[in-house]
Amino acid sequence: MAAASVILSAGPGSAGALATARSAPAGITSVPLAQNDADTQKVVDWWTPDRLKRASSYAPQTSAANPGSTPAPSATAAPSRAAAAKAPGKAPALSTAAAQASRTATAPATTTTVSGVVPPKAASKTVNSRNVNLPPTVGKVFFRNGTTEYWCSASSVHSKYGNVVATAGHCAYDVKNGKPVEYWIFIPSYADGKTPYGIYVGHTLYLNDTYSATGDFDFDYAFVTVHRGYKWDPDYDASGIQKKDVKGLPMYKRVGTGVLEKSVGGQGFAWNKGYTVAAYAFGYPAGPHPNGTRPFDGRTMESCLTRATKKISSPKWELNGGVMFRGCAFTAGASGGPWVIKYSQLRRIGYLNGVNSLTWDLDGDGRYDGVSSPYFDKATYLVYSYASRQKTA
């Protein structure tokens, strides 16, 4: 059986990272990320234009599995790691509140057979981007866990205040250490280091209680509310020449880009649609296959299409009722990318119905040929619905 890496590397947890009672409903874990001005500014200051340029060359760190006769999964989360061994210096600590998880004591809401949809919302206009005909809602998530930078994939999803991002649970929460990742940002329509629609700092993370407590892959999804966006524009002097700092590096100025959904739109949301659906999967894969080959570099968005997903179970990975997307060769880095049903290539929107969670070598030939997602049921909807009603300052 092939080996797989499923845990994000992380530094020691904060001594103050204890569960505290908050107002999240039963079954939902609410985790502050960067809620106040001081913490938000620390995140902005960390992800400088120069750091983001280096981030475009990060390579996901994951153990290449040896092919075997039994299909075996590997976490696509595979956090991406800085290519250079010389990681940046220690990041400023966020406030204690940003490391505290709020968990309700009651059990997660039970699922029902009731299905439903929340309609998508298209952006009023889009800017020129290398991601032609691909959804501008999809982008990269960058964050720190311990002393290392990583990336995942994610998508804007429609909400009351236009401020919600959907991704995989392991792209935002370190179950092993019981705390959220830090310096979490979302860059929609990321392409080769470009940020055409801006950068959005995470405000609050919402998870299913079961995932935050156990890491169960049946609940490996997360919804993050974000602040208004910004981007770094070159700062020119009166002569039209870009300014430089004391080290001779180009200077930039921070320019606001507004509310996320107004810039890129938001995918709709669908739950309890069954295990067999036609869907597109999107993401930024970059890691190697088990045989060591690396067909993707993570610089641009990739997509897969299937006519029919199917149910998958794997006791080893605590996956009792996942959904399998066969024929998709995504590798590490694609984690958290959306599965979209009823996708319109003209409007570039559809309905979110899953997220990339685990990759699989189904035929044992040393190359991933499938990706699975948690099944989106009523429990998923309840987390999304609560997050979608939360305002960010």
Side-chain angles (χ1 to χ4, degrees):
M1 179 178 289
S5 172
V6 296
I7 300 295
L8 299 180
S9 61
S14 165
L18 303 176
T20 56
R22 291 173 65 88
S23 58
I28 299 173
T29 296
S30 169
V31 187
L33 295 178
Q35 294 188 336
N36 59 49
D37 290 343
D39 282 344
T40 302
Q41 189 61 51
K42 289 176 184 177
V43 178
V44 172
D45 290 343
W46 183 257
W47 293 109
T48 62
D50 181 58
R51 197 182 300 275
L52 286 172
K53 287 180 180 178
R54 295 202 304 271
S56 70
S57 65
Y58 289 176
Q61 180 186 25
T62 181
S63 299
N66 295 319
S69 59
T70 304
S74 168
T76 57
S80 55
R81 181 175 183 170
K86 300 182 179 70
K90 183 178 179 181
L94 300 182
S95 64
T96 302
Q100 294 179 328
S102 137
R103 185 175 298 123
T104 57
T106 52
T110 56
T111 60
T112 73
T113 56
V114 176
S115 65
V117 297
V118 174
K121 184 175 181 180
S124 57
K125 63 179 180 178
T126 56
V127 300
N128 292 329
S129 171
R130 289 183 57 181
N131 293 329
V132 179
N133 296 326
L134 293 174
T137 63
V138 180
K140 269 189 175 183
V141 165
F142 291 97
F143 56 91
R144 281 176 63 88
N145 201 9
T147 59
T148 309
E149 284 81 13
Y150 301 99
W151 92 58
C152 278
S153 303
S155 177
S156 168
V157 60
H158 180 49
S159 64
K160 181 177 180 180
Y161 298 104
N163 62 349
V164 174
V165 176
T167 189
H170 62 257
C171 292
Y173 193 78
D174 179 359
V175 175
K176 182 179 180 180
N177 289 294
K179 66 187 184 76
V181 301
E182 296 183 303
Y183 292 80
W184 194 99
I185 61 171
F186 174 60
I187 303 177
S189 205
Y190 175 97
D192 200 17
K194 302 294 191 300
T195 62
Y197 297 101
I199 304 165
Y200 299 80
V201 177
H203 181 279
T204 305
L205 164 65
Y206 299 93
L207 302 157
N208 186 288
D209 266 2
T210 302
Y211 184 79
S212 59
T214 69
D216 188 333
F217 280 100
D218 282 308
F219 304 92
D220 185 22
Y221 48 78
F223 300 93
V224 179
T225 53
V226 296
H227 293 275
R228 287 173 173 264
Y230 67 94
K231 62 180 180 178
W232 296 110
D233 279 355
D235 192 5
Y236 297 106
D237 61 21
S239 302
I241 300 174
Q242 188 172 2
K243 299 177 182 178
K244 294 185 178 181
D245 61 19
V246 293
K247 296 181 180 180
L249 298 175
M251 293 181 64
Y252 297 85
K253 58 183 178 181
R254 180 180 169 187
V255 178
T257 57
V259 175
L260 173 63
E261 195 171 296
K262 288 184 178 179
S263 297
V264 300
Q267 300 296 336
F269 186 87
W271 70 98
N272 276 333
K273 290 301 178 180
Y275 289 93
T276 304
V277 296
Y280 280 89
F282 301 96
Y284 289 81
H289 284 288
N291 64 11
T293 60
R294 189 189 295 269
F296 308 111
D297 62 12
R299 292 177 178 270
T300 55
M301 192 190 312
E302 303 290 341
S303 66
C304 292
L305 169 64
T306 183
R307 299 299 179 187
T309 57
K310 62 178 293 185
K311 186 175 181 178
I312 182 73
S313 296
S314 175
K316 176 180 179 181
W317 300 99
E318 299 185 17
L319 189 65
N320 298 316
V323 188
M324 173 60 69
F325 192 124
R326 288 180 174 271
C328 188
F330 280 174
T331 60
S335 267
W339 289 18
V340 182
I341 62 174
K342 299 186 181 301
Y343 180 68
S344 167
Q345 293 192 38
L346 178 63
R347 302 182 66 206
R348 294 190 279 176
I349 52 174
Y351 296 84
L352 179 72
N353 194 48
V355 292
N356 300 321
S357 177
L358 295 169
T359 54
W360 299 72
D361 178 7
L362 296 169
D363 58 13
D365 69 350
R367 291 177 60 85
Y368 296 126
D369 52 9
V371 61
S372 65
S373 166
Y375 180 66
F376 273 25
D377 56 14
K378 186 178 178 182
T380 318
Y381 168 72
L382 291 175
V383 181
Y384 155 73
S385 179
Y386 183 70
S388 72
R389 301 192 303 273
Q390 306 308 309
K391 181 185 292 187
T392 47

